[in-house]
Amino acid sequence: MRVFLIVVCFVAYSSAHMCLISPPQRGSMMGINKQGANDCVLTKMSCGGRMATSPSVGVRAGMNFTVTFQKNLDHWVKATPGYFSISMGTDDKGTFKELARINDMGEPSLTLFSRNVTIPDNAIGMSVGVIQVTYVTKNPDAPAVFYQCSDVYVFRD
């Protein structure tokens, strides 16, 4: 019984999470108001292993757009604080360009972050882009990076 409790505690701890609220993340947002939500534990590069979806949000190249995400489970370590990165690319296999970086200052689990970013002006025509948010933990006792992506239409004047 003791071993079972230790395993359960380890799984709960190691399943750190980061959820993308706006634009909406791939997959669902079920349970995101509870620490350790299953839909927010994506550790596989570069979009957590989730397939692209039909974009639900349109953005214009060169415009400002507010990205909102949640630190679903805290992994801050004072000696090696991590960060969150907001990036954009043309698909989840390509190169992402970092648009903003927010330092992890030890905010508690379920903290919301919003950052205004400028959509890159190099989008060609009306295409689909990928907004990626990562949580780089720099915590030796946690996964190195958590990923979330959202597919967006990118319009150009």
Side-chain angles (χ1 to χ4, degrees):
M1 181 65 166
R2 186 175 187 190
V3 172
F4 174 76
L5 289 175
I6 291 170
V7 169
V8 168
C9 289
F10 178 76
V11 169
Y13 178 74
S14 67
S15 298
H17 303 63
M18 190 268 310
C19 312
L20 180 54
I21 310 295
S22 177
Q25 67 191 23
R26 293 177 179 177
S28 81
M29 292 195 203
M30 293 181 62
I32 66 169
N33 291 324
K34 293 181 182 174
Q35 294 180 26
N38 288 335
D39 277 325
C40 303
V41 59
L42 305 179
T43 57
K44 186 176 178 185
M45 265 180 98
S46 65
C47 288
R50 289 199 169 149
M51 302 300 294
T53 61
S54 295
S56 61
V57 174
V59 296
R60 186 167 305 282
M63 77 177 263
N64 290 328
F65 183 79
T66 302
V67 175
T68 302
F69 60 93
Q70 178 196 63
K71 179 184 189 179
N72 188 258
L73 194 58
D74 179 33
H75 279 290
W76 182 75
V77 174
K78 185 176 183 178
T80 57
Y83 62 90
F84 301 92
S85 177
I86 301 170
S87 303
M88 189 159 186
T90 55
D91 63 44
D92 56 3
K93 294 175 182 64
T95 302
F96 286 88
K97 177 185 178 191
E98 187 174 68
L99 305 177
R101 183 177 285 199
I102 300 122
N103 291 328
D104 184 5
M105 305 293 287
E107 297 86 351
S109 298
L110 304 180
T111 296
L112 291 175
F113 295 86
S114 289
R115 181 58 55 102
N116 197 26
V117 298
T118 301
I119 302 301
D121 218 2
N122 60 354
I124 299 171
M126 186 175 87
S127 60
V128 175
V130 178
I131 293 178
Q132 177 197 63
V133 180
T134 57
Y135 178 13
V136 179
T137 67
K138 293 190 177 180
N139 180 335
D141 296 324
V145 183
F146 294 92
Y147 300 88
Q148 285 292 350
C149 287
S150 181
D151 301 290
V152 296
Y153 283 115
V154 180
F155 299 93
R156 187 170 178 91
D157 289 336

